[in-house]
Structures are given as C-alpha cells and as structure tokens.
Amino acid sequence: MLEVAAALEIVLRLARPSPPRAAAPDATALGQIVAEDLAADLDSPPFTKALMDGYAIRAGDTGPRTVVDELPAGKSPTIAVNPGEAIRIFTGAVMPDGADAVAMQERCERAGDTVQVTDSGLTAGKNVLPRGAEMTAGEIVVQAGSVVTPALLGLLAGIGRTESLLYPRPRVGVLATGNELVGPAQRPVDGQIRNTNGPMLLAQAARLGGIPTDFGIGPDDEEELRSAIQSALDLSDVLLLAGGVSVGDYDLVPKVLASLGVDIHFHKVRMKPGKPLLFGTFGGKLVFGLPGNPGSAFVGFELFVAPALRAILGYADPGPRVRPRILSNDLKANHDRPTYHPAITDDDRVTVSPWIGSSDLRSLARVNAFVVLPAGPVVFAAGTAVNTLILV
Ligand code: AMP
Ligand code: MG
C-alpha cells in the first residue's frame, strides 16, 4: 500500500497551475497568486511631500519667518519659499520649491503673518518624504508568485493596475454518494443519515481558494451514479466524491470512474482514517474519491486535496503543513497504520482531543490540527515533540 508521502508526490506531480488569466485585483482575489512581475508606473510618492501639519521652511534660516501662502493636500504650490519665509502646509501636500523641511505646528508659535519655530533641532529633510522614496517608475515592486493580500491590493492600486495576471481559482465539484444520505432539512428515517460531507467538503474547498459547486447526492446505483459523476466532471476542474470508494458491494465509485475513462493513479493509502482514498485524472481534471466517513473525508481533503488546490492556485509551497509541536498531554497508541488524531495546537504546543473515531464530527469541529502518530505501539510523554498536521 502507498505511503502518504508517495501518494502526495503523485498528486503534486499531476496538480499543475492553470494558465494565468487577467483579472481585476480586488477583494475577490484574496489568496490568489500573481503570475507576473509588476513594475511601478510612477515614482512614489510622485512629489516630495509634507509628512506633518505645520510650516514648510528652509531649515537653515533663523529668526521669525513670514507666512506667504497656504498649501493643503491636493494643491500644487504656486510660489517658492524664499529666505525668511514659510508656507503653512498640511500632511500630504506637495513641498514648495525652496523649502527643505516641515516644522510641526505643535512646535511653532504663530502671530499674525509671522511664525516662530521653537524646534531648535530642525534639519533639512525633517518631516518630508522625497519623491520616489518608496519606489521609482519602472522598478519591479511585485514579484510573480506573490500572494494577494489586502496590502498587496493596496499596492496594486498604487501602481495603477486595474488588471493583472492571476492563477485562476479551480472549480471544485462535490458529489456525496450513498443511498442512505438525505439533506439537512430532512429528518432521517429507516437507516438514513444526513449528508454531512457535502457541506463540509464544499467549505474546505472554499477555504483553500477553490470555487465550490454542490452536485448534491448520488445514489449507489451504477447507471445513475455514472451520469451524476459525468455531469459533475463536466463542470469541475477538481471533483471530490465522498463515499462508495471502499471494497463493499455498494462501493461503486472506482468501477464507475474506470468506466468513464478516468485514469486511476492510486486507490488506498497507508493511513488512518481514510485508507480507501482514490486519486485519478481525466484530461487535466483531478478526481478524488474520499471515503464516506466524515473524519476520513476531512483528513483525506487536508492531506491531498488541499495541497493539490494550492498547487493549482500557483503556490510555491503547497503543503501540507506538518510541523513539530510539543505534546501537552501523555499519549499512548497502537495503530496498524500511521494515524491522524484530532488535536488543538496553540503556538508551539499541541493537545490531543478526545475522539471516538472517523465518524466523530463533534471532535473535528473543535480542532485545528492532527497529531501524526506512526504505526505500531507508541508511548509519548507530555513534552515530547510530535509531528502535527496544521490546518489553514
Ligand atoms: P462509505 O465510504 O460509502 O462506505 O461510507 C462509510 C460511512 O460513512 C458509512 O457509515 C456512511 O453511511 C457514512 N457516510 C457516507 N457518506 C456520508 C456523507 N456524505 N455524510 C455523512 N456520512 C456519510
Ligand atoms: Mg456508501
């Protein structure tokens, strides 16, 4: 059986960034990756500017100065500051010719048309930002590979970008399978249960930057499942199937995928929960068959789908993020496969959560990590460093 690392390698070999597309860089692009180097179109600031409310002066002058004009932000100076003169100026205004510093108004005494600067240590350049101090026209200020963040969106606006090349978000289709499944509005009867994987996986896909599409519930019937998968595949870049991927008589997903011509790269990974996980491709599309138990589907997503989505989005390091953390409690286990146990991490520590098994969503809803336990008997005392899968 494939180890997690080997399976992940296969997924990441086949998950490639989609061709970049021009898009308006706005808040809907948060978390996307810029696919080009971007240069400043202008010097910034575009003029030498006052950083304080006060008086634009010549630092070398002494004695009282005559106030000859007033300059608010957004107005061009019309006259220069000559020796013995000052111009009343406000934060963000263009520095007038002749002036080389701004005396803060809190350190000035004004009487009629005269101002006396009480700040004795005022030197040239004080409270002034020279033109081009932040960036000069033509300089590359955003590197390809940068993540779109709020500050980056501000920067893009600052360099006049109304469009830039971004790796597009993949459409992530989610189709839950199982005759026993009903929607959340329904009260389950006669062996039914509610479909919890659907909403969970859609949200996981959205959190990772995909465009989630809900394809509802497919039945455990070969013909009907084939047509449900076919339609979902048509409209998805990444398709997540949940349930029906194991070895039972009603686990039809592997068979149906094969009949549709999906290339199956692996089926089963040496991990717990989530062993029966399946990964295939169909043209450039990725297909994941996640086991139906919510814990299995969740861990399968975080270990394989999340890195695939990050790779498609153009992230240089797609993860998963596994880091050592210091155990807060003693931990004893004996699993036949490497096991991902729900846990809560806070800074450098991790605390294992109570968990009754892979159907236990209550436990998952409280955690932000999984402790990775090796196969076989393990006894970890509190204070031991353990590998921890950290959720985004
Ligand atoms: P399967 O992988 O189809 O064999 O399902 C394994 C277990 O997960 C069974 O107990 C199913 O009833 C349950 N299950 C399957 N799909 C879902 C789902 N979408 N939501 C909640 N439980 C599910
Ligand atoms: Mg099933």
Side-chain angles (χ1 to χ4, degrees), residues 259-313:
S259 79
L260 285 168
V262 172
D263 247 332
I264 294 172
H265 300 285
F266 62 79
H267 184 191
K268 285 189 183 57
V269 181
R270 194 162 162 266
M271 60 188 268
K272 200 175 190 162
K275 179 173 80 170
L277 194 137
L278 175 153
F279 171 64
T281 49
F282 184 72
K285 298 168 189 271
L286 308 186
V287 182
F288 292 89
L290 303 169
N293 259 313
S296 309
F298 189 94
V299 170
F301 182 99
E302 295 298 331
L303 276 180
F304 299 105
V305 184
L309 295 181
R310 282 199 209 92
I312 292 171
L313 279 162

Short mmCIF file of all heavy atoms in Angstrom, two decimals, residues 259-313:
data_model
loop_
_atom_site.label_atom_id
_atom_site.label_comp_id
_atom_site.label_asym_id
_atom_site.label_seq_id
_atom_site.Cartn_x
_atom_site.Cartn_y
_atom_site.Cartn_z
N SER A 259 -14.98 3.17 -15.79
CA SER A 259 -15.82 3.05 -16.99
C SER A 259 -15.96 4.39 -17.72
O SER A 259 -16.21 4.42 -18.91
CB SER A 259 -17.20 2.51 -16.62
OG SER A 259 -17.99 3.55 -16.08
N LEU A 260 -15.78 5.48 -17.00
CA LEU A 260 -15.83 6.81 -17.64
C LEU A 260 -14.49 7.19 -18.28
O LEU A 260 -14.37 8.24 -18.90
CB LEU A 260 -16.22 7.88 -16.61
CG LEU A 260 -17.68 7.91 -16.18
CD1 LEU A 260 -17.86 8.81 -14.97
CD2 LEU A 260 -18.56 8.39 -17.34
N GLY A 261 -13.49 6.37 -18.07
CA GLY A 261 -12.17 6.66 -18.67
C GLY A 261 -11.28 7.47 -17.76
O GLY A 261 -10.28 8.03 -18.21
N VAL A 262 -11.63 7.57 -16.48
CA VAL A 262 -10.76 8.27 -15.53
C VAL A 262 -9.54 7.39 -15.27
O VAL A 262 -9.66 6.19 -15.04
CB VAL A 262 -11.52 8.56 -14.21
CG1 VAL A 262 -10.57 9.10 -13.14
CG2 VAL A 262 -12.66 9.54 -14.46
N ASP A 263 -8.36 8.01 -15.38
CA ASP A 263 -7.09 7.33 -15.10
C ASP A 263 -6.91 7.23 -13.61
O ASP A 263 -6.75 8.26 -12.95
CB ASP A 263 -5.95 8.23 -15.62
CG ASP A 263 -5.24 7.59 -16.77
OD1 ASP A 263 -5.24 6.35 -16.84
OD2 ASP A 263 -4.71 8.35 -17.60
N ILE A 264 -6.90 6.04 -13.05
CA ILE A 264 -6.78 5.93 -11.59
C ILE A 264 -5.31 5.73 -11.22
O ILE A 264 -4.69 4.76 -11.62
CB ILE A 264 -7.71 4.83 -11.06
CG1 ILE A 264 -9.16 5.29 -11.32
CG2 ILE A 264 -7.48 4.60 -9.56
CD1 ILE A 264 -10.22 4.30 -11.04
N HIS A 265 -4.76 6.71 -10.48
CA HIS A 265 -3.32 6.68 -10.16
C HIS A 265 -3.04 5.96 -8.86
O HIS A 265 -1.99 5.38 -8.71
CB HIS A 265 -2.76 8.10 -10.12
CG HIS A 265 -2.93 8.80 -11.43
ND1 HIS A 265 -2.16 8.52 -12.54
CD2 HIS A 265 -3.82 9.74 -11.84
CE1 HIS A 265 -2.56 9.26 -13.55
NE2 HIS A 265 -3.56 10.01 -13.15
N PHE A 266 -3.94 6.05 -7.92
CA PHE A 266 -3.83 5.17 -6.74
C PHE A 266 -5.19 5.02 -6.08
O PHE A 266 -6.10 5.83 -6.27
CB PHE A 266 -2.75 5.64 -5.75
CG PHE A 266 -2.95 6.99 -5.13
CD1 PHE A 266 -3.85 7.18 -4.08
CD2 PHE A 266 -2.21 8.09 -5.57
CE1 PHE A 266 -4.00 8.43 -3.49
CE2 PHE A 266 -2.37 9.35 -4.99
CZ PHE A 266 -3.27 9.51 -3.95
N HIS A 267 -5.32 3.92 -5.35
CA HIS A 267 -6.53 3.61 -4.62
C HIS A 267 -6.06 2.88 -3.37
O HIS A 267 -5.57 1.76 -3.48
CB HIS A 267 -7.45 2.71 -5.49
CG HIS A 267 -8.77 2.42 -4.85
ND1 HIS A 267 -9.64 1.47 -5.34
CD2 HIS A 267 -9.38 2.95 -3.77
CE1 HIS A 267 -10.72 1.43 -4.58
NE2 HIS A 267 -10.59 2.32 -3.62
N LYS A 268 -6.17 3.55 -2.25
CA LYS A 268 -5.70 3.08 -0.93
C LYS A 268 -4.35 3.70 -0.58
O LYS A 268 -3.40 3.64 -1.36
CB LYS A 268 -5.57 1.56 -0.84
CG LYS A 268 -6.91 0.85 -0.72
CD LYS A 268 -6.68 -0.63 -0.40
CE LYS A 268 -7.99 -1.39 -0.34
NZ LYS A 268 -8.81 -1.30 -1.58
N VAL A 269 -4.33 4.26 0.60
CA VAL A 269 -3.13 4.88 1.15
C VAL A 269 -2.97 4.37 2.57
O VAL A 269 -3.96 4.20 3.29
CB VAL A 269 -3.26 6.42 1.16
CG1 VAL A 269 -2.00 7.07 1.72
CG2 VAL A 269 -3.55 6.97 -0.24
N ARG A 270 -1.73 4.15 2.96
CA ARG A 270 -1.47 3.61 4.31
C ARG A 270 -1.63 4.72 5.34
O ARG A 270 -0.66 5.38 5.72
CB ARG A 270 -0.06 2.99 4.34
CG ARG A 270 0.17 2.13 5.55
CD ARG A 270 1.35 1.20 5.36
NE ARG A 270 1.78 0.71 6.66
CZ ARG A 270 2.75 1.27 7.40
NH1 ARG A 270 3.41 2.31 6.95
NH2 ARG A 270 3.06 0.77 8.58
N MET A 271 -2.87 4.93 5.75
CA MET A 271 -3.17 5.99 6.72
C MET A 271 -4.49 5.66 7.42
O MET A 271 -5.26 4.83 6.96
CB MET A 271 -3.32 7.34 6.00
CG MET A 271 -4.44 7.36 4.96
SD MET A 271 -4.46 8.86 3.97
CE MET A 271 -5.58 9.86 4.93
N LYS A 272 -4.69 6.34 8.53
CA LYS A 272 -5.90 6.16 9.33
C LYS A 272 -6.30 7.51 9.89
O LYS A 272 -5.45 8.16 10.49
CB LYS A 272 -5.60 5.19 10.47
CG LYS A 272 -6.78 4.53 11.11
CD LYS A 272 -6.25 3.53 12.13
CE LYS A 272 -7.37 2.64 12.65
NZ LYS A 272 -6.84 1.45 13.28
N PRO A 273 -7.50 7.98 9.72
CA PRO A 273 -8.54 7.37 8.91
C PRO A 273 -8.30 7.64 7.42
O PRO A 273 -7.40 8.40 7.08
CB PRO A 273 -9.79 8.11 9.39
CG PRO A 273 -9.29 9.48 9.75
CD PRO A 273 -7.91 9.27 10.30
N GLY A 274 -9.10 6.97 6.57
CA GLY A 274 -9.11 7.34 5.15
C GLY A 274 -8.38 6.41 4.22
O GLY A 274 -8.07 6.79 3.09
N LYS A 275 -8.13 5.19 4.63
CA LYS A 275 -7.35 4.26 3.81
C LYS A 275 -7.84 4.10 2.35
O LYS A 275 -7.03 4.10 1.43
CB LYS A 275 -7.30 2.89 4.50
CG LYS A 275 -6.55 1.85 3.71
CD LYS A 275 -6.37 0.56 4.48
CE LYS A 275 -7.63 -0.29 4.44
NZ LYS A 275 -7.41 -1.64 4.97
N PRO A 276 -9.15 3.96 2.10
CA PRO A 276 -9.56 3.64 0.72
C PRO A 276 -9.45 4.80 -0.27
O PRO A 276 -9.98 4.72 -1.37
CB PRO A 276 -11.04 3.24 0.87
CG PRO A 276 -11.32 3.15 2.31
CD PRO A 276 -10.30 3.97 3.02
N LEU A 277 -8.77 5.89 0.08
CA LEU A 277 -8.74 7.08 -0.77
C LEU A 277 -8.26 6.78 -2.19
O LEU A 277 -7.31 6.03 -2.40
CB LEU A 277 -7.83 8.11 -0.11
CG LEU A 277 -7.90 9.53 -0.66
CD1 LEU A 277 -7.91 10.51 0.51
CD2 LEU A 277 -6.75 9.83 -1.58
N LEU A 278 -8.94 7.38 -3.15
CA LEU A 278 -8.64 7.15 -4.57
C LEU A 278 -8.30 8.48 -5.24
O LEU A 278 -8.88 9.51 -4.92
CB LEU A 278 -9.87 6.53 -5.22
CG LEU A 278 -9.90 6.29 -6.73
CD1 LEU A 278 -10.83 5.12 -7.05
CD2 LEU A 278 -10.32 7.52 -7.53
N PHE A 279 -7.32 8.41 -6.15
CA PHE A 279 -6.97 9.62 -6.90
C PHE A 279 -6.86 9.27 -8.38
O PHE A 279 -6.20 8.30 -8.77
CB PHE A 279 -5.63 10.19 -6.40
CG PHE A 279 -5.09 11.29 -7.27
CD1 PHE A 279 -5.79 12.49 -7.41
CD2 PHE A 279 -3.91 11.13 -7.98
CE1 PHE A 279 -5.30 13.50 -8.23
CE2 PHE A 279 -3.41 12.14 -8.79
CZ PHE A 279 -4.11 13.34 -8.91
N GLY A 280 -7.52 10.06 -9.22
CA GLY A 280 -7.45 9.84 -10.66
C GLY A 280 -7.41 11.16 -11.40
O GLY A 280 -7.59 12.24 -10.82
N THR A 281 -7.14 11.08 -12.70
CA THR A 281 -7.19 12.27 -13.55
C THR A 281 -8.04 11.96 -14.77
O THR A 281 -8.15 10.81 -15.21
CB THR A 281 -5.79 12.72 -14.01
OG1 THR A 281 -5.10 11.58 -14.54
CG2 THR A 281 -4.98 13.31 -12.87
N PHE A 282 -8.61 13.02 -15.32
CA PHE A 282 -9.44 12.89 -16.52
C PHE A 282 -9.09 14.11 -17.37
O PHE A 282 -9.51 15.22 -17.08
CB PHE A 282 -10.92 12.89 -16.13
CG PHE A 282 -11.85 12.66 -17.28
CD1 PHE A 282 -11.95 11.41 -17.88
CD2 PHE A 282 -12.63 13.70 -17.78
CE1 PHE A 282 -12.82 11.20 -18.95
CE2 PHE A 282 -13.50 13.50 -18.84
CZ PHE A 282 -13.60 12.24 -19.42
N GLY A 283 -8.25 13.91 -18.40
CA GLY A 283 -7.67 15.06 -19.09
C GLY A 283 -6.88 15.84 -18.05
O GLY A 283 -6.13 15.27 -17.27
N GLY A 284 -7.11 17.13 -17.97
CA GLY A 284 -6.40 17.94 -16.97
C GLY A 284 -7.13 18.00 -15.64
O GLY A 284 -6.69 18.71 -14.72
N LYS A 285 -8.23 17.31 -15.51
CA LYS A 285 -9.03 17.41 -14.27
C LYS A 285 -8.56 16.38 -13.24
O LYS A 285 -8.12 15.30 -13.61
CB LYS A 285 -10.51 17.14 -14.58
CG LYS A 285 -11.13 18.16 -15.54
CD LYS A 285 -12.49 17.67 -16.01
CE LYS A 285 -13.05 18.54 -17.13
NZ LYS A 285 -13.85 19.66 -16.63
N LEU A 286 -8.68 16.76 -11.97
CA LEU A 286 -8.31 15.83 -10.89
C LEU A 286 -9.59 15.28 -10.26
O LEU A 286 -10.56 16.01 -10.09
CB LEU A 286 -7.51 16.56 -9.81
CG LEU A 286 -6.27 17.36 -10.25
CD1 LEU A 286 -5.54 17.88 -9.01
CD2 LEU A 286 -5.34 16.53 -11.12
N VAL A 287 -9.55 14.00 -9.92
CA VAL A 287 -10.69 13.36 -9.26
C VAL A 287 -10.21 12.70 -7.97
O VAL A 287 -9.26 11.92 -8.00
CB VAL A 287 -11.33 12.28 -10.17
CG1 VAL A 287 -12.55 11.66 -9.49
CG2 VAL A 287 -11.72 12.86 -11.52
N PHE A 288 -10.85 13.06 -6.87
CA PHE A 288 -10.54 12.41 -5.59
C PHE A 288 -11.76 11.63 -5.13
O PHE A 288 -12.87 12.19 -5.07
CB PHE A 288 -10.19 13.45 -4.52
CG PHE A 288 -8.89 14.16 -4.78
CD1 PHE A 288 -8.86 15.33 -5.55
CD2 PHE A 288 -7.70 13.66 -4.28
CE1 PHE A 288 -7.66 15.98 -5.79
CE2 PHE A 288 -6.49 14.31 -4.52
CZ PHE A 288 -6.47 15.47 -5.28
N GLY A 289 -11.57 10.36 -4.83
CA GLY A 289 -12.61 9.56 -4.20
C GLY A 289 -12.28 9.48 -2.72
O GLY A 289 -11.32 8.80 -2.33
N LEU A 290 -13.03 10.23 -1.91
CA LEU A 290 -12.75 10.25 -0.46
C LEU A 290 -13.68 9.27 0.23
O LEU A 290 -14.86 9.18 -0.12
CB LEU A 290 -12.96 11.66 0.08
CG LEU A 290 -12.13 12.76 -0.59
CD1 LEU A 290 -12.62 14.14 -0.17
CD2 LEU A 290 -10.66 12.59 -0.25
N PRO A 291 -13.18 8.53 1.21
CA PRO A 291 -14.05 7.62 1.95
C PRO A 291 -15.17 8.39 2.65
O PRO A 291 -15.00 9.57 2.99
CB PRO A 291 -13.10 6.98 2.97
CG PRO A 291 -11.73 7.22 2.45
CD PRO A 291 -11.79 8.50 1.69
N GLY A 292 -16.31 7.71 2.85
CA GLY A 292 -17.52 8.41 3.31
C GLY A 292 -17.56 8.83 4.75
O GLY A 292 -18.28 9.76 5.10
N ASN A 293 -16.78 8.18 5.61
CA ASN A 293 -16.79 8.61 7.00
C ASN A 293 -16.27 10.05 7.07
O ASN A 293 -15.21 10.35 6.50
CB ASN A 293 -15.90 7.71 7.84
CG ASN A 293 -16.74 6.71 8.63
OD1 ASN A 293 -17.74 7.10 9.24
ND2 ASN A 293 -16.35 5.46 8.57
N PRO A 294 -16.99 10.93 7.74
CA PRO A 294 -16.60 12.34 7.73
C PRO A 294 -15.14 12.59 8.14
O PRO A 294 -14.47 13.43 7.54
CB PRO A 294 -17.58 12.99 8.70
CG PRO A 294 -18.80 12.12 8.60
CD PRO A 294 -18.29 10.72 8.40
N GLY A 295 -14.67 11.87 9.14
CA GLY A 295 -13.28 12.06 9.55
C GLY A 295 -12.31 11.66 8.45
O GLY A 295 -11.29 12.32 8.22
N SER A 296 -12.64 10.59 7.73
CA SER A 296 -11.79 10.13 6.64
C SER A 296 -11.80 11.14 5.49
O SER A 296 -10.75 11.45 4.91
CB SER A 296 -12.29 8.79 6.10
OG SER A 296 -12.48 7.88 7.15
N ALA A 297 -12.99 11.62 5.17
CA ALA A 297 -13.10 12.60 4.08
C ALA A 297 -12.33 13.87 4.46
O ALA A 297 -11.60 14.44 3.63
CB ALA A 297 -14.57 12.92 3.82
N PHE A 298 -12.48 14.29 5.71
CA PHE A 298 -11.83 15.52 6.16
C PHE A 298 -10.32 15.41 6.08
O PHE A 298 -9.65 16.27 5.50
CB PHE A 298 -12.27 15.84 7.60
CG PHE A 298 -11.83 17.19 8.07
CD1 PHE A 298 -12.67 18.28 7.94
CD2 PHE A 298 -10.57 17.38 8.63
CE1 PHE A 298 -12.25 19.55 8.37
CE2 PHE A 298 -10.15 18.64 9.07
CZ PHE A 298 -11.00 19.72 8.94
N VAL A 299 -9.77 14.34 6.64
CA VAL A 299 -8.31 14.17 6.64
C VAL A 299 -7.80 13.96 5.21
O VAL A 299 -6.77 14.53 4.82
CB VAL A 299 -7.90 12.98 7.55
CG1 VAL A 299 -6.43 12.64 7.37
CG2 VAL A 299 -8.19 13.31 9.00
N GLY A 300 -8.53 13.19 4.42
CA GLY A 300 -8.15 12.99 3.02
C GLY A 300 -8.07 14.31 2.29
O GLY A 300 -7.14 14.56 1.50
N PHE A 301 -9.04 15.19 2.55
CA PHE A 301 -9.01 16.51 1.93
C PHE A 301 -7.76 17.27 2.36
O PHE A 301 -7.02 17.79 1.53
CB PHE A 301 -10.26 17.32 2.29
CG PHE A 301 -10.27 18.68 1.63
CD1 PHE A 301 -11.01 18.90 0.48
CD2 PHE A 301 -9.51 19.74 2.14
CE1 PHE A 301 -10.99 20.13 -0.16
CE2 PHE A 301 -9.48 20.97 1.51
CZ PHE A 301 -10.24 21.17 0.36
N GLU A 302 -7.53 17.34 3.67
CA GLU A 302 -6.43 18.18 4.16
C GLU A 302 -5.07 17.65 3.70
O GLU A 302 -4.16 18.43 3.44
CB GLU A 302 -6.47 18.29 5.69
CG GLU A 302 -7.71 19.01 6.22
CD GLU A 302 -7.82 20.47 5.76
OE1 GLU A 302 -6.79 21.11 5.50
OE2 GLU A 302 -8.97 20.96 5.65
N LEU A 303 -4.93 16.33 3.58
CA LEU A 303 -3.64 15.75 3.20
C LEU A 303 -3.36 15.80 1.70
O LEU A 303 -2.21 15.95 1.29
CB LEU A 303 -3.55 14.29 3.66
CG LEU A 303 -3.14 14.04 5.09
CD1 LEU A 303 -3.11 12.55 5.36
CD2 LEU A 303 -1.75 14.65 5.37
N PHE A 304 -4.40 15.65 0.88
CA PHE A 304 -4.17 15.52 -0.56
C PHE A 304 -4.86 16.59 -1.39
O PHE A 304 -4.26 17.13 -2.32
CB PHE A 304 -4.62 14.13 -1.04
CG PHE A 304 -3.86 13.02 -0.37
CD1 PHE A 304 -4.45 12.26 0.62
CD2 PHE A 304 -2.54 12.77 -0.71
CE1 PHE A 304 -3.74 11.25 1.26
CE2 PHE A 304 -1.83 11.76 -0.08
CZ PHE A 304 -2.43 11.00 0.91
N VAL A 305 -6.13 16.89 -1.08
CA VAL A 305 -6.85 17.86 -1.90
C VAL A 305 -6.32 19.27 -1.65
O VAL A 305 -6.10 20.03 -2.60
CB VAL A 305 -8.37 17.79 -1.65
CG1 VAL A 305 -9.09 18.74 -2.60
CG2 VAL A 305 -8.89 16.37 -1.81
N ALA A 306 -6.10 19.61 -0.39
CA ALA A 306 -5.63 20.97 -0.08
C ALA A 306 -4.31 21.27 -0.79
O ALA A 306 -4.20 22.31 -1.46
CB ALA A 306 -5.51 21.16 1.44
N PRO A 307 -3.30 20.41 -0.71
CA PRO A 307 -2.06 20.68 -1.46
C PRO A 307 -2.30 20.77 -2.98
O PRO A 307 -1.70 21.61 -3.65
CB PRO A 307 -1.16 19.50 -1.11
CG PRO A 307 -1.67 19.01 0.21
CD PRO A 307 -3.15 19.23 0.17
N ALA A 308 -3.19 19.90 -3.50
CA ALA A 308 -3.47 19.95 -4.94
C ALA A 308 -4.07 21.32 -5.30
O ALA A 308 -3.67 21.93 -6.30
CB ALA A 308 -4.44 18.83 -5.33
N LEU A 309 -5.00 21.81 -4.48
CA LEU A 309 -5.61 23.11 -4.78
C LEU A 309 -4.58 24.23 -4.70
O LEU A 309 -4.56 25.13 -5.55
CB LEU A 309 -6.79 23.39 -3.83
CG LEU A 309 -7.99 22.45 -3.96
CD1 LEU A 309 -9.10 22.85 -2.98
CD2 LEU A 309 -8.53 22.43 -5.38
N ARG A 310 -3.70 24.16 -3.71
CA ARG A 310 -2.67 25.20 -3.61
C ARG A 310 -1.74 25.15 -4.81
O ARG A 310 -1.33 26.18 -5.32
CB ARG A 310 -1.87 25.05 -2.32
CG ARG A 310 -2.61 25.56 -1.10
CD ARG A 310 -1.65 25.82 0.06
NE ARG A 310 -2.35 25.64 1.32
CZ ARG A 310 -2.40 24.50 1.99
NH1 ARG A 310 -1.77 23.43 1.56
NH2 ARG A 310 -3.07 24.43 3.12
N ALA A 311 -1.41 23.95 -5.28
CA ALA A 311 -0.54 23.83 -6.45
C ALA A 311 -1.24 24.42 -7.68
O ALA A 311 -0.62 25.15 -8.46
CB ALA A 311 -0.17 22.36 -6.70
N ILE A 312 -2.52 24.13 -7.84
CA ILE A 312 -3.28 24.66 -8.99
C ILE A 312 -3.34 26.18 -8.90
O ILE A 312 -3.28 26.88 -9.91
CB ILE A 312 -4.70 24.05 -9.03
CG1 ILE A 312 -4.59 22.55 -9.35
CG2 ILE A 312 -5.58 24.75 -10.04
CD1 ILE A 312 -5.91 21.79 -9.19
N LEU A 313 -3.44 26.70 -7.68
CA LEU A 313 -3.51 28.16 -7.48
C LEU A 313 -2.14 28.83 -7.63
O LEU A 313 -2.04 30.05 -7.55
CB LEU A 313 -4.08 28.47 -6.10
CG LEU A 313 -5.61 28.39 -6.00
CD1 LEU A 313 -6.04 28.28 -4.54
CD2 LEU A 313 -6.25 29.62 -6.64
#
